[in-house]
Amino acid sequence: MAKKGQYIYEYPHPAVTADCVVFGYDGKEIRVLLIKRGKEKEASTSAYAGEWALPGGFLDVERDLTVAHTAIRELREETLLRLSVKDLKEVGTYSEIGRDPRERVITVAHYALVKLAEVHSDTDAEKAEWYSLSDIPSLAFDHDRILRDTLSRLKRDIHFEPIGFELLPEVFTLPQLQNLYESILEVKFDRRNFANKMKHYGILSEVDDGTPRHGTRTPLKYRFDKDNYDRLKAKGFQLEF
Amino acid sequence: MAKKGQYIYEYPHPAVTADCVVFGYDGKEIRVLLIKRGKEKEASTSAYAGEWALPGGFLDVERDLTVAHTAIRELREETLLRLSVKDLKEVGTYSEIGRDPRERVITVAHYALVKLAEVHSDTDAEKAEWYSLSDIPSLAFDHDRILRDTLSRLKRDIHFEPIGFELLPEVFTLPQLQNLYESILEVKFDRRNFANKMKHYGILSEVDDGTPRHGTRTPLKYRFDKDNYDRLKAKGFQLEF
DNA sequence: ACAAAAGTGTTAGGCCTACACCCATGA
DNA sequence: TCATGGGTGTAGGCCTAACACTTTTGT
């Protein structure tokens, strides 16, 4: 962060922060990465000390190229998770007077999808934790609202974006994919129709891992066909459900 | 605005502005409201003096409840257009270092749809002007980019929102509605299919204005059935095109 | 042995798309 | 009278949704 000192303006300026809702999928349900705010009395930074919050922090006016950069920097510092700006989607701005008790703070909320299995071990640093959606504690500031809004956004985006790509491991099964959609949208699909539709899009390629497969009890493995997906997306499509 | 003085912070703070892309429909094409930036040397406010820009301005840290309030306040001051916060949709945040030559300025872009016919006369105040999309001058700051982004957003939103409600007068004709969709999406539709689909949704009610209508040369008049629309929207629908 | 998980194909109905003619008005 | 604009209906194709049985594994 820029060094502490005296910064003088002719008119009052707000502080700006970036927050990030990081979603992961543990194979069963969607989880969200939360951090525990430091209890230490660090002067003015102790608002909502000890409470859970979305990862995020103050814009470094002199160094952060955009607020998205703020978000990834804070994410790295607070949770050791290394994302890049293109992994983030902007959700919206929260600017109500009084949303931060210290001073006027405007935050820009983002969200990101990560392959939980692959980052899991990196992120137990410090005080970050993956919470199941059904189990979210009450959050600092207006972060409850931000999380709710972001969830609706995710539900909408899932129709247009390859959510599966980003939340599932490289190789996955159809039941996993279906379960992912079902848990985000909170609905149930017919197995056969789901498979038909997915195969029809032509964005899945079967992975032959050698195992002979006698029965059908063990699901087939697939991988996303990124090329086909990109081609499809370019022509403007949507995954219907 | 808050009174001028000396405002001191321990860390540098950015300035925050809100901008607004106001779309209107003149019965033929979509237009955008632009303002001409003051030429007068008002100290630091003279960036891009004399150029066209989106209406907008600085957040009043002490008085604007949210950045959306900033947008409607500035809109009123600069163009005499009176909108309310619920008329605005947030498009996104623009925060690149250097996007404003004066200091670090982060802007939150919004858009609004207005019934051009009904506000037209109020807005010729000062230096505001409605520009056809095919005729946009080059704009101050990164406002070109903001406008482009907002247009794509509008094209997306049109599938989910009752754009017609907000851009057309109370009473309108099917050809008008079709032309509106066609000019936003830059495509052409089959007249019969368009009419079938629209009527099928059940959100149009025919307006009987007494005229006997011999031929079919004069189009029928309709009004949106807001109740039906809201009901439809609540169950989650989308206008397909 | 029984319950749970996964693979697979067909049919009916609805929605989208393509398409042509008639009438009235204004030039 | 001719061109333009606007209203109207239908048939075919595609996509969606509903639906049952078999196999295997684990308990």
Side-chain angles (χ1 to χ4, degrees), chain B residues 160-210:
Chain B
F160 306 101
E161 305 280 334
I163 305 289
F165 271 90
E166 305 174 37
L167 287 170
L168 289 174
E170 285 302 310
V171 170
F172 56 90
T173 68
L174 264 187
Q176 279 180 326
L177 183 62
Q178 178 169 350
N179 183 272
L180 170 60
Y181 274 92
E182 288 179 341
S183 49
I184 292 180
L185 293 173
E186 295 173 294
V187 291
K188 289 288 177 192
F189 299 118
D190 180 276
R191 218 165 53 243
R192 290 159 291 191
N193 292 339
F194 186 84
N196 286 155
K197 194 173 300 194
M198 276 300 161
K199 286 177 179 170
H200 185 251
Y201 286 128
I203 54 177
L204 299 181
S205 37
E206 208 167 316
V207 173
D208 186 3
D209 64 347

Side-chain angles (χ1 to χ4, degrees), chain A residues 183-198:
Chain A
S183 50
I184 291 180
L185 293 173
E186 295 173 295
V187 291
K188 290 289 176 191
F189 300 117
D190 180 275
R191 219 164 53 243
R192 289 159 290 190
N193 291 340
F194 187 84
N196 287 155
K197 194 173 300 194
M198 277 300 162

Side-chain angles (χ1 to χ4, degrees), chain B residues 20-23 31-37 51-56 75 78-79 81 123-133 135-140 143-144 147:
Chain B
C20 192
V21 182
V22 185
F23 292 111
R31 291 177 175 272
V32 176
L33 187 59
L34 299 178
I35 57 148
K36 188 145 195 160
R37 292 180 61 80
E51 296 199 29
W52 290 96
L54 296 171
L75 218 44
E78 294 178 336
T79 72
L81 194 57
T123 52
D124 46 12
E126 330 225 324
K127 47 240 153 127
E129 211 157 299
W130 290 97
Y131 273 87
S132 152
L133 284 181
D135 200 30
I136 302 281
S138 88
L139 301 180
H143 287 190
D144 307 275
L147 178 55

Side-chain angles (χ1 to χ4, degrees), chain A residues 58-59 130 142 177 187 201:
Chain A
F58 287 95
L59 170 77
W130 291 96
D142 49 3
L177 183 62
V187 291
Y201 286 130

